[in-house]
Amino acid sequence: MGVTVWINGALQSTEEAGISPFDHGVTVGNGVFETMLSSDGSPFAFTRHYERLNRSAEMMGLSVRSREELWRASHDVLQANELVGCRARLRITVTGGPAPLGSERGEQGETTLVAASPSAEWGDTEDVIVVPYSRNEHGALAGIKSTSYGENVVALAEARRRGAGEAIFANTRGELCEGTGSNVFLVSGSLLITPPLSSGCLAGVTRALVIELCEREGIVLEEKAVPISSLERAEEAFLTSTTREVQ
């Protein structure tokens, strides 16, 4: 059975689906996206993800379709691919659409794509490495979930080459920042610590849920800048992300 995706308002098979070779998402990485987890045919925390998609898009100068349209599109894609009753990864991508072969924006409107695939379970633990590349907390894309993932691709490949499953970045100040697709939490004594958004890390949806859960349960948590060396000295550490959940 073929895979069905949703592009600009219509369900299409991957065989018939087409994106312009001049699409700004293809040529220069001008796009934003959100990944959600579904186990019952409904994307988890959809509203939170949609709101972050809008924030990222605004920073990139892109427009996002309505929440209602993307909610329906998400359900339609999960149903069309028979992923309603299983653990699935759903992704919404918005790109700048067809544009000149350069950094300047086009005028034909955005490309919006919704796709889904089965999502495997992560293990209980993960080996990580610290890579020698830095996150630029002052960069134009800091904290934006853009499709410009080249740094993450290189870092994760290095982690895999060294037998690890995630790569951790410091920022330009040498502070703990984030993983290629995850936020980081450390335990020090009775204190739970996670880097603040000012470190340049992404405002992860699962990160926010963990922070709210700690507040509700009376767990002392501090968003605090710490040296990258704090990672190897931590008594405990865990990663959070949409697909990893808490690992």
Short mmCIF file of all heavy atoms in Angstrom, two decimals, residues 37-40 83-89 117-122 242-245:
data_model
loop_
_atom_site.label_atom_id
_atom_site.label_comp_id
_atom_site.label_asym_id
_atom_site.label_seq_id
_atom_site.Cartn_x
_atom_site.Cartn_y
_atom_site.Cartn_z
N LEU A 37 3.25 13.23 18.12
CA LEU A 37 3.09 11.80 18.34
C LEU A 37 1.60 11.49 18.44
O LEU A 37 0.84 12.24 19.04
CB LEU A 37 3.80 11.40 19.63
CG LEU A 37 4.07 9.91 19.86
CD1 LEU A 37 4.99 9.36 18.78
CD2 LEU A 37 4.69 9.69 21.24
N SER A 38 1.20 10.38 17.82
CA SER A 38 -0.19 9.96 17.89
C SER A 38 -0.24 8.47 18.20
O SER A 38 0.55 7.70 17.67
CB SER A 38 -0.90 10.21 16.55
OG SER A 38 -2.18 9.62 16.53
N SER A 39 -1.14 8.09 19.10
CA SER A 39 -1.32 6.66 19.39
C SER A 39 -2.77 6.23 19.23
O SER A 39 -3.06 5.05 19.21
CB SER A 39 -0.85 6.34 20.82
OG SER A 39 -1.56 7.13 21.75
N ASP A 40 -3.67 7.21 19.09
CA ASP A 40 -5.09 6.88 18.97
C ASP A 40 -5.75 7.62 17.81
O ASP A 40 -6.97 7.75 17.76
CB ASP A 40 -5.82 7.22 20.27
CG ASP A 40 -5.69 8.71 20.63
OD1 ASP A 40 -5.00 9.44 19.89
OD2 ASP A 40 -6.28 9.12 21.65
N LEU A 83 -2.97 4.53 10.38
CA LEU A 83 -2.12 4.74 11.55
C LEU A 83 -2.93 5.17 12.77
O LEU A 83 -2.37 5.67 13.74
CB LEU A 83 -1.06 5.80 11.24
CG LEU A 83 -0.04 5.42 10.17
CD1 LEU A 83 0.81 6.63 9.79
CD2 LEU A 83 0.85 4.28 10.66
N VAL A 84 -4.23 4.95 12.72
CA VAL A 84 -5.10 5.42 13.81
C VAL A 84 -4.88 4.63 15.08
O VAL A 84 -4.90 5.17 16.18
CB VAL A 84 -6.59 5.36 13.38
CG1 VAL A 84 -7.50 5.63 14.56
CG2 VAL A 84 -6.85 6.36 12.26
N GLY A 85 -4.65 3.34 14.98
CA GLY A 85 -4.56 2.51 16.18
C GLY A 85 -3.15 2.15 16.59
O GLY A 85 -2.95 1.21 17.36
N CYS A 86 -2.16 2.89 16.09
CA CYS A 86 -0.78 2.56 16.44
C CYS A 86 0.01 3.83 16.75
O CYS A 86 -0.46 4.94 16.53
CB CYS A 86 -0.11 1.77 15.31
SG CYS A 86 0.07 2.71 13.77
N ARG A 87 1.20 3.62 17.26
CA ARG A 87 2.08 4.75 17.56
C ARG A 87 2.61 5.32 16.26
O ARG A 87 3.25 4.61 15.47
CB ARG A 87 3.22 4.26 18.45
CG ARG A 87 4.23 5.32 18.89
CD ARG A 87 5.32 4.66 19.71
NE ARG A 87 6.45 5.56 19.97
CZ ARG A 87 6.56 6.34 21.03
NH1 ARG A 87 5.60 6.33 21.94
NH2 ARG A 87 7.61 7.12 21.20
N ALA A 88 2.34 6.59 16.02
CA ALA A 88 2.71 7.21 14.74
C ALA A 88 3.33 8.57 14.96
O ALA A 88 3.04 9.27 15.94
CB ALA A 88 1.48 7.33 13.84
N ARG A 89 4.19 8.95 14.03
CA ARG A 89 4.81 10.27 14.00
C ARG A 89 4.13 11.07 12.89
O ARG A 89 4.07 10.64 11.73
CB ARG A 89 6.29 10.12 13.70
CG ARG A 89 7.06 11.44 13.60
CD ARG A 89 8.36 11.24 12.84
NE ARG A 89 9.23 10.25 13.45
CZ ARG A 89 10.37 10.53 14.08
NH1 ARG A 89 10.78 11.78 14.18
NH2 ARG A 89 11.11 9.58 14.57
N SER A 117 4.11 8.61 9.58
CA SER A 117 4.73 7.30 9.45
C SER A 117 4.69 6.61 10.80
O SER A 117 4.52 7.27 11.84
CB SER A 117 6.19 7.44 8.99
OG SER A 117 6.96 8.10 9.97
N PRO A 118 4.84 5.29 10.84
CA PRO A 118 4.92 4.61 12.13
C PRO A 118 6.10 5.14 12.93
O PRO A 118 7.13 5.53 12.37
CB PRO A 118 5.12 3.14 11.75
CG PRO A 118 4.60 3.03 10.35
CD PRO A 118 4.90 4.34 9.70
N SER A 119 5.97 5.16 14.25
CA SER A 119 7.04 5.64 15.13
C SER A 119 7.44 4.53 16.08
O SER A 119 6.61 4.02 16.83
CB SER A 119 6.58 6.87 15.93
OG SER A 119 7.60 7.31 16.79
N ALA A 120 8.71 4.17 16.04
CA ALA A 120 9.20 3.11 16.91
C ALA A 120 9.35 3.63 18.34
O ALA A 120 9.46 4.83 18.59
CB ALA A 120 10.55 2.60 16.41
N GLU A 121 9.34 2.72 19.29
CA GLU A 121 9.59 3.06 20.69
C GLU A 121 11.08 3.30 20.90
O GLU A 121 11.92 2.61 20.33
CB GLU A 121 9.14 1.92 21.60
CG GLU A 121 7.65 1.63 21.55
CD GLU A 121 6.84 2.50 22.48
OE1 GLU A 121 7.45 3.33 23.19
OE2 GLU A 121 5.61 2.37 22.51
N TRP A 122 11.42 4.31 21.70
CA TRP A 122 12.80 4.54 22.09
C TRP A 122 13.15 3.63 23.27
O TRP A 122 12.28 3.19 24.01
CB TRP A 122 13.02 5.99 22.50
CG TRP A 122 12.91 6.97 21.38
CD1 TRP A 122 11.78 7.60 20.94
CD2 TRP A 122 13.97 7.43 20.54
NE1 TRP A 122 12.07 8.42 19.89
CE2 TRP A 122 13.41 8.35 19.62
CE3 TRP A 122 15.34 7.17 20.49
CZ2 TRP A 122 14.18 8.99 18.65
CZ3 TRP A 122 16.09 7.81 19.53
CH2 TRP A 122 15.52 8.72 18.61
N THR A 242 9.31 15.14 21.60
CA THR A 242 7.99 14.62 21.25
C THR A 242 8.03 13.10 21.11
O THR A 242 7.15 12.41 21.64
CB THR A 242 7.49 15.26 19.96
OG1 THR A 242 7.18 16.63 20.23
CG2 THR A 242 6.25 14.57 19.44
N THR A 243 9.00 12.57 20.38
CA THR A 243 9.01 11.13 20.15
C THR A 243 9.73 10.36 21.25
O THR A 243 9.37 9.22 21.56
CB THR A 243 9.65 10.80 18.79
OG1 THR A 243 10.97 11.35 18.74
CG2 THR A 243 8.82 11.38 17.66
N ARG A 244 10.76 10.96 21.86
CA ARG A 244 11.43 10.30 22.98
C ARG A 244 10.57 10.35 24.24
O ARG A 244 10.75 9.53 25.14
CB ARG A 244 12.78 10.99 23.29
CG ARG A 244 13.85 10.83 22.24
CD ARG A 244 15.10 11.61 22.62
NE ARG A 244 16.08 11.66 21.55
CZ ARG A 244 17.05 10.77 21.37
NH1 ARG A 244 17.16 9.76 22.21
NH2 ARG A 244 17.89 10.89 20.37
N GLU A 245 9.70 11.34 24.33
CA GLU A 245 8.97 11.66 25.56
C GLU A 245 9.99 11.98 26.65
O GLU A 245 10.75 12.92 26.50
CB GLU A 245 7.98 10.53 25.89
CG GLU A 245 6.98 10.34 24.75
CD GLU A 245 6.07 9.17 24.94
OE1 GLU A 245 6.50 8.03 24.66
OE2 GLU A 245 4.92 9.40 25.35
#
